[in-house]
Amino acid sequence: WSFGDYFKEEAIFFAWDLLTRVFGMNKENIYITVFEGDKIDGTTPDEEAADIWKKYVPADRILYFDKKDNFWEMGDTGPCGPCSEIHIDLRSNEDRQKVDGATLVNLDDPLVVEIWNLVFIQFNRKADKSLEELPNKHIDTGMGFERLCMAIQKKQSNYDTDVFQPLIQ
């Protein structure tokens, strides 16, 4: 969480640094999603986040998705905003050569999985459904621990990780 201490630039750097430098994930297998905007809400694509991601990821691995996938809201009213999801392709090289991972993002493939969501809380949803810009921007992130373990340990299933195997055994 960040309550006004930092925003998109720093959150994206922190996520990228942790996943690639600290955890050693293969940069070539990471895909990013950003918010494509919404005509009803009058929001535009999150080019700010996309441009920051381009410092780390080629543009063809930055994918635009709609409000369902890339806009976080806690309810009918209140703080909300666009988000960037970080996905990793855990398939074999052979499978990646057959089908590009970008085509499998957000399609529930068990080996092309979201591991982290960076929520950029920059709006307040009012009772009339309109959005107002917040005076202070915030960050909320959510990471799937079991999926992160699967990626770090190079497993094909959450249940094959050291989180679950002792219980299963």
Side-chain angles (χ1 to χ4, degrees):
W1 279 87
S2 166
F3 295 101
D5 296 324
Y6 60 86
F7 199 48
K8 292 180 187 181
E9 183 86 35
E10 296 85 355
I12 290 170
F13 167 76
F14 293 150
W16 184 256
D17 187 59
L18 182 66
L19 294 175
T20 61
R21 187 183 61 78
V22 176
F23 293 155
M25 291 187 187
N26 185 339
K27 297 173 184 179
E28 303 304 312
N29 297 338
I30 295 175
Y31 294 87
I32 305 301
T33 65
V34 297
F35 180 52
E36 71 181 6
D38 185 80
K39 289 182 182 180
I40 293 171
D41 282 340
T43 52
T44 58
D46 191 356
E47 296 299 345
E48 178 185 6
D51 288 343
I52 297 166
W53 278 116
K54 287 176 187 172
K55 296 177 183 180
Y56 309 104
V57 177
D60 64 343
R61 290 202 326 256
I62 300 170
L63 312 169
Y64 289 79
F65 281 89
D66 64 11
K67 195 168 153 179
K68 178 176 101 23
D69 288 307
N70 281 92
F71 195 90
W72 178 86
E73 297 185 81
M74 65 180 222
D76 291 338
T77 61
C80 57
C83 58
S84 282
E85 297 172 335
I86 304 168
H87 298 254
I88 189 157
D89 185 346
L90 300 171
R91 298 173 303 140
S92 68
N93 286 333
E94 181 182 333
D95 287 342
R96 280 194 289 274
Q97 289 174 355
K98 291 178 189 172
V99 179
D100 180 38
T103 62
L104 299 175
V105 169
N106 281 337
L107 291 181
D108 296 325
D109 186 291
L111 295 177
V112 181
V113 296
E114 176 192 337
I115 54 175
W116 204 343
N117 188 6
L118 308 177
V119 179
F120 309 122
I121 301 172
Q122 62 190 72
F123 299 112
N124 180 51
R125 172 83 63 193
K126 294 168 44 173
D128 67 3
K129 302 297 180 206
S130 66
L131 295 173
E132 64 183 355
E133 193 88 14
L134 289 172
N136 296 308
K137 312 295 190 257
H138 309 292
I139 296 290
D140 175 11
T141 71
M143 183 184 293
F145 176 70
E146 74 288 350
R147 288 170 277 154
L148 178 66
C149 291
M150 186 172 83
I152 290 172
Q153 296 173 24
K154 297 177 175 47
K155 302 294 183 179
Q156 300 289 298
S157 166
N158 295 334
Y159 300 109
D160 293 334
T161 66
D162 63 5
V163 174
F164 290 104
Q165 273 304 299
L167 298 169
I168 294 169
Q169 297 303 318

